Amino acid sequence: MRKKNSIYLKIGGIICLFLMCFSCKKTSDDHKTDVDTEWIENEEYVYAFGIRIDSLDLTDFVIKTGENPSKIFTGLGFKQSMIDSLNTASESVLDPRKLRAGMTYTTITSPDSVAEIQYIIFAKSLTDFSIIDLTGDSIRAYEYFKEVRLGRKYLEGTIHSSLWNNIRQAGGDPLLALEISDILAWQIDFFDVKDGDSYRVLYDEAYIDDTTELYISSVEGLVFVHAGKEFTAIPFRQDSITEYYDRDGNNVRKSFLKAPLDYLRITSKFTNARYHPVLKRYRPHHGVDYAAPAGTPVKAIGSGVIIAKGYESGGGGNYLKIKHNDVYTTVYMHLSRFGKGIRQGTHVEQGTVIGYVGSTGLSTGPHLDFRVYKNGKPVNPLTMDSPSGDPVQPALRDSFNMVKQQVLAEMDSLRNTENQADTLNSIDYSFR
């Protein structure tokens, strides 16, 4: 009987051992499956600010008037000793003086019933953040920058109102109009665009998160038809500077801007016999009167040195005179006030705001009286031929021609896209 029980025990032991081995095999297989599943899920983790957040909770806040980091930390429930530690740890990446009402901050907390704050993120801009990390043995603070990517875009249209409105209606960033007008400011007066003028533009736009548009990064190709004449701008780099050139390699930048301000209309042109509305008599008017609201910025049409600044009671009111070179001098009159830092002897660059439209002196309303002198003699600002910047150097002509062909071919390929409509189109076709 004892021998039979011994046999049963042995058989039972073998069965138990077999079951244990099977169980171990199954447990091992299950563990392997878990590892594989975790690895697959790893591809689907969610991140924000460089932190894995798929198992955490995010809460966004808006900074109120009068709030500073200490008040914010108090509102989040931290005690004073901890607040002191947070301020000390974050002082190198978070300047309280730069926090403004309306800016945002985010807390990242554990999903437990008693939620603990693990991170506090302050947004300094759309791309720059200060992160306070509370997950370690000590508080750590660091800066985080969202990746900025460039998206190549193409836009074309025919203008019937203004370039700004046309681009906006096409779904593009209206600020692209400013980029275009800056590039061709020497060839085209953009306050005199004609009905039927058209444009084609290739440009890069900066993004974050692949969807949030930040700004126009650069114009990579431009063709503008104004009053039946085509103007082309191709970006090309020489002497470590990128400038725009026409199809023949001539610099589209001129020595002088077409106009010294953004104006509503021209009220008086260059003439030898204009009836003066104040003096009630005919006399020469060797300039152009640009009507614009009081306070409109007035820009230097070219780089130069201010050789006169003052007030002319007999006519010009507040005025400035700029000597550009041995040939050209310009005069700006009836200013309401002068630009910041503008004084006699100051060197100004092309486009520098030198004053603001006013109605000082003999004037019936706000406007700028603008005059140009060539070799000391008055010339018509609307018809003068401004010299160009440096063309493409002969040694770089082949390189420029290759760039030109690539840019124009890229624009033509987009123009012929089968989905392209006949009206206004904005095509975002690649990230790079």
Side-chain angles (χ1 to χ4, degrees), residues 131-151:
I131 298 180
I132 303 175
D133 182 353
L134 303 172
T135 60
D137 295 333
S138 60
I139 301 171
R140 188 168 70 97
Y142 57 93
E143 292 181 303
Y144 175 77
F145 304 97
K146 281 191 176 182
E147 180 185 7
V148 176
R149 303 177 65 194
L150 296 182

Side-chain angles (χ1 to χ4, degrees), residues 261-379:
L261 78 168
D262 298 338
Y263 60 93
L264 296 178
R265 65 190 183 280
I266 294 175
T267 56
S268 181
K269 296 183 179 181
F270 187 95
T271 177
N272 288 317
R274 183 192 73 153
Y275 183 76
H276 197 283
V278 177
L279 299 177
K280 306 299 183 183
R281 59 186 173 87
Y282 287 92
R283 69 174 189 173
H285 183 256
H286 290 156
V288 174
D289 285 350
Y290 294 98
T296 299
V298 175
K299 299 172 287 187
I301 68 163
S303 61
V305 176
I306 297 174
I307 59 174
K309 170 193 174 186
Y311 183 86
E312 186 184 73
S313 59
N318 289 326
Y319 77 98
L320 285 170
K321 183 181 290 186
I322 299 177
K323 183 178 177 62
H324 300 282
N325 50 36
D326 291 338
V327 177
Y328 287 98
T329 301
T330 54
V331 179
Y332 311 75
M333 296 189 287
H334 304 306
L335 302 173
S336 61
R337 57 191 175 93
F338 302 106
K340 185 178 180 181
I342 296 300
R343 58 182 61 87
Q344 188 168 331
T346 301
H347 177 84
V348 294
E349 297 294 335
Q350 186 179 68
T352 298
V353 174
I354 55 175
Y356 300 86
V357 168
S359 189
T360 57
L362 295 181
S363 170
T364 58
H367 73 285
L368 173 72
D369 185 341
F370 173 63
R371 306 191 178 200
V372 178
Y373 295 86
K374 181 178 181 179
N375 294 320
K377 296 181 179 181
V379 296

Side-chain angles (χ1 to χ4, degrees), residues 62-68 72 100-103 105:
V62 177
I63 297 177
K64 300 175 183 177
T65 302
E67 283 192 323
N68 56 32
I72 291 171
R100 299 285 184 270
M103 296 174 70
Y105 63 98

Side-chain angles (χ1 to χ4, degrees), residues 127-278:
T127 58
D128 301 353
F129 302 84
S130 294
I131 298 180
I132 303 175
D133 182 353
L134 303 172
T135 60
D137 295 333
S138 60
I139 301 171
R140 188 168 70 97
Y142 57 93
E143 292 181 303
Y144 175 77
F145 304 97
K146 281 191 176 182
E147 180 185 7
V148 176
R149 303 177 65 194
L150 296 182
R152 177 63 57 86
K153 303 187 79 173
Y154 173 79
L155 188 71
E156 70 173 54
T158 300
I159 301 169
H160 298 294
S161 58
S162 70
L163 179 60
W164 179 281
N165 287 335
N166 187 273
I167 289 175
R168 180 179 57 81
Q169 292 167 3
D173 185 344
L175 293 178
L176 180 60
L178 300 183
E179 297 288 336
I180 293 173
S181 61
D182 281 348
I183 293 171
L184 295 178
W186 295 270
Q187 282 78 26
I188 300 172
D189 180 350
F190 280 89
F191 281 82
D192 188 35
V193 293
K194 308 296 184 183
D195 184 20
D197 283 0
S198 63
Y199 64 91
R200 301 168 54 212
V201 58
L202 188 70
Y203 63 103
D204 284 344
E205 197 161 33
Y207 291 79
I208 54 171
D209 305 325
D210 289 353
T211 55
T212 303
E213 300 173 358
L214 294 178
Y215 52 83
I216 306 296
S217 175
S218 61
V219 171
E220 295 298 316
L222 173 62
V223 176
F224 199 102
V225 178
H226 172 60
K229 183 178 179 180
E230 182 179 280
F231 299 86
T232 302
I234 305 294
F236 185 71
R237 189 173 182 83
Q238 66 176 6
D239 295 333
S240 302
I241 299 174
T242 299
E243 292 195 280
Y244 292 90
Y245 301 86
D246 65 17
R247 292 174 184 262
D248 297 324
N250 298 312
N251 199 320
V252 302
R253 176 180 57 81
K254 301 286 186 180
S255 296
F256 300 134
L257 297 173
K258 267 287 187 182
L261 78 168
D262 298 338
Y263 60 93
L264 296 178
R265 65 190 183 280
I266 294 175
T267 56
S268 181
K269 296 183 179 181
F270 187 95
T271 177
N272 288 317
R274 183 192 73 153
Y275 183 76
H276 197 283
V278 177

